[in-house]
């Protein structure tokens, strides 16, 4: 991810006490060199390099670049904060919204999908569930079932507080409440691998005396970026032969349980669609974004698949079966399944819009098409 691409905005939701802040702090601590913008609780906003340790995030008023941001209560204020965070000067790679414990995730998704900010894109809903209080939470908050139904990834937190049989029962109920194929990640003390949600970069830069990363490394005595959780496996796939869009969509539709994230670029080579297609998936959330090839860039499909309990050889064989020997002979209609998950481009607004676009290009800031609008545009598997 970089400033040229729309910044993914991930919604982290869950009822009071489920452990959202603990999950968030763990993500911050294990971010590597990734620059994370956070909109937390009452929509206070902060970029984590302003923090001295993980978890010190105000829930109503915090500062960003010397500016004071107060709690937000409507979509326009959230838009204003996201616009600030997505400004190129901050070089943010990903934004995480920690929703209030009583927030409606559907409304937050709607606001993000309807945003006219081309610098951001919706990146999926992660719902945190308290395993120890699962039944009590559903009794007190019946809307829990509705929230789980729209989740792209569920974090079953506090699994250390229930026995094996109870955990299995809860996971069966989650399977019934969530949309088919929604991954459920078990966690204790909010510990999930950040790679399930975003890329981590090796950090090399120290700012001032001790940076956020320096403090973490000093406190923990090891490099967080190098720490990998044994429960997750990564499968890489590269092909210099184009992939069939229909077979690739079929692969995504029948992905195995435990496959949490897919990222990379796909080359289809279909007439009229010769671009490379960035693919990003978190749980059920799926998005394609066409991009031009670089000068002299080899036409390749390059994918990374992250999950738990996955059969790597089988994944590779199924992806190899997606290869297309003669994409130039395929019908453009074969791309329809992919194009369902491509955001519609923003229409030009006349000479002024063109001038603005040229100014952005000169500033080396390129904006991709905005996210689709309305519930029907939400890209899920």
């Amino acid at each position: 991810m970089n400033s040229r691409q729309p910044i993914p905005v991930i919604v982290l939701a869950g009822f009071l006490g489920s452990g959202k802040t603990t999950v968030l702090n763990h993500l911050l601590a294990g971010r590597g060199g990734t620059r994370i913008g956070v909109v937390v609780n009452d929509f206070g906003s902060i970029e984590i390099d302003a923090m001295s340790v993980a978890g010190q995030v105000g829930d109503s008023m915090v500062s960003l670049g010397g500016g004071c941001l107060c709690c937000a209560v409507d979509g326009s204020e959230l838009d204003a904060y996201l616009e600030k965070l997505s400004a190129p000067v901050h070089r943010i790679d990903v934004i995480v919204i920690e929703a209030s414990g009583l927030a409606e995730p559907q409304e937050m998704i709607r606001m993000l999908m309807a945003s006219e900010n081309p610098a951001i894109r919706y990146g999926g809903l992660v719902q945190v569930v308290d395993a120890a209080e699962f039944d009590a939470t559903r009794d007190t908050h019946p809307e829990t079932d509705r929230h789980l139904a729209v989740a792209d990834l569920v974090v079953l937190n506090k699994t250390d507080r229930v026995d094996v049989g109870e955990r299995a029962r809860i996971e069966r109920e989650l399977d019934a409440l969530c949309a088919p194929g929604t991954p459920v990640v078990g966690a204790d003390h909010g510990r999930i691998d950040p790679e399930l949600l975003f890329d981590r970069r090796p950090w090399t830069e120290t700012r001032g005396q001790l940076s956020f990363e320096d403090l973490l490394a000093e406190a923990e005595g090891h490099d967080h970026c190098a720490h990998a959780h044994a429960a997750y496996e990564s499968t890489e796939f590269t092909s210099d032969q184009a992939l069939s869009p229909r077979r690739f969509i079929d692969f995504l539709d029948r992905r195995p349980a435990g496959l949490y994230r897919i990222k990379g670029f796909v080359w289809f080579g279909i007439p009229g669609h010769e671009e490379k297609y960035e693919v990003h998936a978190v749980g059920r959330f799926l998005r394609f974004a066409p991009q031009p090839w670089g000068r002299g860039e080899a036409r390749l499909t390059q994918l990374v698949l992250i999950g738990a309990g996955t059969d790597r050889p089988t994944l590779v064989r199924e992806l190899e079966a997606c290869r297309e020997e003669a994409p130039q002979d395929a019908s453009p209609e074969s791309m329809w399944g992919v194009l369902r998950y491509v955001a519609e481009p923003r229409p030009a607004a006349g000479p002024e819009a063109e001038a603005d676009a040229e100014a952005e290009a000169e500033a080396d800031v390129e904006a991709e098409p905005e996210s689709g609008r309305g519930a029907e545009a939400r890209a899920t598997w």
Side-chain angles (χ1 to χ4, degrees):
M1 288 175 285
N2 54 58
S3 61
R4 289 178 174 272
Q5 306 300 327
I7 301 168
V9 180
I10 298 167
V11 177
L12 183 64
F15 284 104
L16 296 168
S18 61
K20 296 187 304 297
T21 300
T22 305
V23 171
L24 176 59
N25 284 336
H26 182 71
L27 293 175
L28 296 177
R31 69 183 179 114
T34 301
R35 296 175 63 85
I36 305 175
V38 176
V39 180
V40 66
N41 291 341
D42 291 326
F43 300 140
S45 181
I46 191 169
E47 197 276 314
I48 65 171
D49 280 337
M51 299 163 57
S52 60
V53 293
Q56 294 185 4
V57 181
D59 64 357
S60 62
M61 181 183 293
V62 293
S63 64
L64 173 66
C68 185
L69 301 177
C70 302
C71 58
V73 294
D74 62 31
S76 63
E77 289 178 286
L78 176 60
D79 284 341
Y81 297 155
L82 292 176
E83 184 174 357
K84 288 179 180 289
L85 285 171
S86 61
V89 66
H90 300 302
R91 296 183 292 133
I92 295 294
D93 297 305
V94 61
I95 296 172
V96 179
I97 297 179
E98 182 194 348
S100 162
L102 300 177
E104 282 291 339
Q106 299 98 317
E107 181 64 16
M108 303 196 74
I109 293 170
R110 185 197 64 77
M111 286 191 292
L112 290 170
M113 297 293 276
S115 173
E116 296 186 357
N117 183 354
I120 66 167
R121 61 176 173 81
Y122 174 59
L125 168 66
V126 179
Q127 185 78 14
V128 182
V129 174
D130 184 341
E133 300 294 332
F134 178 68
D135 294 327
T137 299
R138 291 184 68 199
D139 289 341
T140 308
H141 302 285
E143 61 269 32
T144 299
D145 294 2
R146 186 174 69 251
H147 298 177
L148 288 167
V150 297
D152 297 299
L153 181 68
V154 175
V155 176
L156 181 59
N157 195 28
K158 306 183 185 180
T159 54
D160 56 312
R161 295 180 55 192
V162 297
D163 60 30
V164 175
E166 178 68 0
R167 175 175 174 174
R169 178 189 70 83
I170 295 171
E171 289 178 341
R172 287 194 298 271
E173 293 203 30
L174 288 173
D175 285 342
L177 292 169
C178 297
T182 303
V184 177
V185 182
D188 63 85
H189 299 90
R191 291 190 289 260
I192 65 171
D193 193 333
E195 291 283 357
L196 296 181
L197 302 180
F198 55 78
D199 296 334
R200 284 181 289 185
R201 298 178 178 178
W203 57 274
T204 58
E205 179 181 348
T206 296
R207 298 185 177 188
Q209 297 176 347
L210 281 180
S211 71
F212 178 80
E213 302 288 2
D214 293 325
L215 289 169
L216 287 173
E218 183 179 89
E220 299 291 338
H222 67 278
D223 182 356
H224 282 267
C225 191
H227 184 273
H229 295 281
Y232 305 111
E233 303 108 19
S234 176
T235 300
E236 291 76 35
F237 175 78
T238 301
S239 174
D240 57 5
Q241 187 173 329
L243 299 191
S244 161
R246 286 174 174 160
R247 290 197 290 274
F248 186 60
I249 288 294
D250 286 343
F251 167 81
L252 296 177
D253 285 341
R254 54 183 171 78
R255 77 205 186 287
L259 183 54
Y260 304 135
R261 188 175 180 219
I262 300 175
K263 58 181 179 177
F265 299 91
V266 185
W267 175 40
F268 296 114
I270 304 297
H273 303 280
E274 290 89 355
E275 311 97 322
K276 65 179 177 181
Y277 280 76
E278 178 189 8
V279 59
H280 172 78
V282 174
R284 296 184 307 120
F285 175 79
L286 175 64
R287 179 181 183 271
F288 286 97
Q291 298 178 17
W293 296 97
R295 181 176 300 176
E297 183 178 359
R299 272 44 175 174
L300 293 173
T301 290
Q302 296 177 298
L303 297 172
V304 177
L305 303 91
I306 302 172
T310 54
D311 185 336
R312 296 183 189 179
T314 297
L315 288 176
V316 172
R317 282 197 301 270
E318 291 183 351
L319 286 168
E320 288 175 342
C322 294
R323 288 173 170 160
E324 178 62 62
E325 293 185 1
Q328 68 278 4
D329 297 333
S331 167
E333 286 77 10
S334 64
M335 284 291 294
W336 286 357
V338 171
L339 297 178
R340 288 178 54 206
Y341 301 104
V342 173
E344 294 182 2
R346 181 191 302 274
E352 292 183 1
E354 293 178 3
D356 289 341
E358 290 176 1
E360 285 188 345
E362 291 174 359
D364 197 31
V365 177
E366 297 177 0
E368 280 191 1
E370 64 178 327
S371 297
R373 303 185 184 259
E376 72 279 3
R378 183 171 178 234
T380 53
W381 295 357

